[in-house]
């Protein structure tokens, strides 16, 4: 088994993309039979349950991880993500904030707090958190896209375009970045660029 939370998270993502989340759940459950106090395993199984909308099981696992280590930033971030998906924004914000306070160099709660601020239309605060997340982990396509959308909401379209293109630097096949570039260029009246990015997005969808 991998030994860090980012590797486990990548495994969840892989199985999710393959439509085989049940395999991820089985994988992590088997790991916990070997090492029942493995905090990254607990949080990754929690994430798999959360994606599967099995929120009670996900919450129990994240709370178990917190009980094992009250200073584990990832565990609080995991719990915040569960509450976010359940629509409990105040609780989500509380746990993301605690995760950041415990470890300010943990990129994930910064980007999650950015989403919270974006939902509140606090775009300056959202931008600050997305930029912190990107600084700490530059290969997060979602953070670039969300940062771009925050800039778009402030009518700073050139910055929005810049960050969408940076997302494509890391993930050339990001449908969502291609789509938003096409949309922004279309709204600007740059139909040639819009057509290019829309066609690229459609090509990916059809593959």
């Amino acid at each position: 088994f991998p030994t860090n939370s980012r590797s486990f998270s990548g495994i969840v993502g892989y199985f999710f993309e393959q439509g085989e989340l049940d395999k991820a759940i089985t994988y992590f459950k088997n790991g916990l039979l070997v090492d029942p106090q493995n905090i990254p395993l607990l949080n990754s199984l929690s994430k798999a349950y959360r994606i599967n909308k099995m929120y009670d099981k996900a919450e129990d696992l994240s709370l178990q991880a917190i009980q094992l280590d009250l200073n584990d930033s990832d565990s609080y971030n995991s719990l915040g993500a569960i509450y976010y998906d359940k629509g409990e924004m105040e609780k989500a914000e509380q746990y993301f904030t605690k995760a950041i306070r415990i470890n300010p160099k943990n990129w994930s709660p910064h980007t999650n707090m950015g989403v919270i601020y974006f939902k509140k239309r606090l775009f300056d605060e959202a931008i600050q958190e997305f930029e912190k997340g990107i600084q700490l982990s530059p290969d997060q396509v979602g953070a670039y896209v969300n940062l771009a959308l925050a800039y778009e909401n402030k009518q700073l379209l050139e910055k929005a375009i810049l960050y969408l293109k940076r997302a494509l630097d890391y993930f050339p096949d990001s449908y969502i970045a291609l789509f938003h570039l096409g949309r922004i260029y279309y709204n600007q009246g740059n139909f040639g660029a819009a057509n290019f990015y829309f066609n690229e997005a459609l090509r990916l969808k059809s593959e």
Side-chain angles (χ1 to χ4, degrees):
F1 286 92
T3 57
N4 62 75
S5 58
R6 192 159 186 171
S7 296
F8 286 129
S9 184
I11 292 167
V12 175
Y14 170 78
F15 282 118
F16 179 74
E17 288 174 3
Q18 301 300 312
E20 299 178 332
L21 200 57
D22 288 344
K23 287 187 178 180
I25 290 171
T26 300
Y27 179 88
F28 294 129
K29 287 173 75 173
N30 288 338
L32 286 169
L33 290 176
V34 176
D35 186 1
Q37 295 190 339
N38 186 308
I39 291 173
L41 262 176
L42 288 166
N43 284 324
S44 295
L45 180 56
S46 173
K47 180 179 180 178
Y49 280 134
R50 173 175 63 82
I51 294 171
N52 231 12
K53 302 187 187 302
M54 302 168 73
Y55 297 125
D56 289 344
K57 286 186 175 181
E59 186 175 351
D60 285 346
L61 287 163
S62 290
L63 288 170
Q64 186 178 337
I66 288 170
Q67 289 170 359
L68 288 169
D69 184 353
L70 296 176
N71 292 304
D72 185 73
S73 176
D74 287 331
S75 300
Y76 291 100
N77 185 55
S78 175
L79 192 55
I82 295 164
Y83 288 129
Y84 178 87
D85 283 6
K86 291 172 67 175
E88 299 180 35
M89 296 299 154
E90 289 187 9
K91 281 188 175 181
E93 183 173 353
Q94 172 188 343
Y95 285 103
F96 293 148
T97 300
K98 188 158 189 174
I100 292 169
R101 187 166 61 247
I102 289 171
N103 182 8
K105 294 184 178 180
N106 185 350
W107 68 270
S108 186
H110 284 293
T111 58
N112 287 335
M113 273 303 302
V115 173
I116 295 284
Y117 286 133
F118 190 97
K119 290 278 188 181
K120 292 181 174 183
R121 301 189 66 81
L122 298 172
F123 298 119
D124 288 331
E125 290 85 348
I127 287 168
Q128 184 178 19
E129 292 298 334
F130 291 138
E131 287 182 340
K132 284 179 182 176
I134 287 169
Q135 182 182 7
L136 292 165
S137 183
D139 60 346
Q140 304 303 319
V141 63
Y144 285 106
V145 172
N146 287 331
L147 178 56
L149 296 179
Y151 276 121
E152 183 189 9
N153 273 278
K154 287 174 63 65
Q155 301 302 311
L156 298 172
L157 300 185
E158 293 308 313
K159 282 198 170 184
I161 289 169
L162 170 67
Y163 283 106
L164 288 170
K165 288 182 175 179
R166 285 193 185 172
L168 292 174
D169 288 340
Y170 287 98
F171 297 92
D173 291 338
S174 170
Y175 167 82
I176 193 69
L178 290 164
F179 172 79
H180 283 301
L181 272 169
R183 180 181 56 77
I184 291 173
Y185 277 127
Y186 182 86
N187 291 336
Q188 287 184 319
N190 189 340
F191 301 121
N195 186 59
F196 171 80
Y197 286 108
F198 280 142
N199 283 337
E200 285 295 294
L202 289 170
R203 177 183 61 80
L204 289 174
K205 273 292 186 180
S206 64
E207 289 181 352

